[in-house]
Amino acid sequence: MLGLKQQILDNIDKFKVSDFCPDGGWPKFDNLELIVFNETQQGSSIIYNVELIYDCEKAGCCFIPGGDNHTRLQKKIKVSETSFEILME
């Protein structure tokens, strides 16, 4: 099985885009950090309670420079050999 971080990156499109940068901007995952709070075996799947730490790039304009804002998103995900699912909380 792939590492959890790589599985998240490979399935990033399954997350709601609006969850990533609620204050505006664009998520950047090149420096993604991952904290796993716990994991629970459920049959052939594992449920992870994780926190994603990444940057949201804020747009700038001609007088105000843009910048990156370190952001966190906590989710529960269910992973098996053949599936990846974001669980509702």
Side-chain angles (χ1 to χ4, degrees):
M1 192 182 293
L2 291 173
L4 182 59
K5 182 177 174 180
Q6 187 61 49
Q7 284 182 308
I8 289 172
L9 289 170
D10 290 347
N11 291 283
I12 205 75
D13 61 322
K14 293 185 179 181
F15 290 84
K16 289 183 192 175
V17 173
S18 60
D19 285 348
F20 287 118
C21 297
D23 297 330
W26 298 270
K28 293 172 38 179
F29 302 112
D30 42 332
N31 292 320
L32 178 69
E33 296 175 41
L34 182 66
I35 297 172
V36 178
F37 293 111
N38 62 27
E39 58 183 78
T40 307
Q41 186 78 33
Q42 187 180 59
S44 64
S45 300
I46 300 175
I47 297 176
Y48 294 96
N49 184 3
V50 298
E51 185 170 66
L52 308 174
I53 304 169
Y54 53 94
D55 291 322
C56 282
E57 182 178 3
K58 299 280 187 176
C61 68
C62 55
F63 298 110
I64 302 170
D68 290 342
N69 183 22
H70 221 50
T71 307
R72 297 171 178 264
L73 177 64
Q74 191 169 349
K75 289 288 183 183
K76 285 189 177 183
I77 57 174
K78 184 176 182 180
V79 178
S80 73
E81 288 288 334
T82 59
S83 68
F84 184 96
E85 182 181 355
I86 311 298
L87 302 177
M88 296 293 181
E89 297 184 39

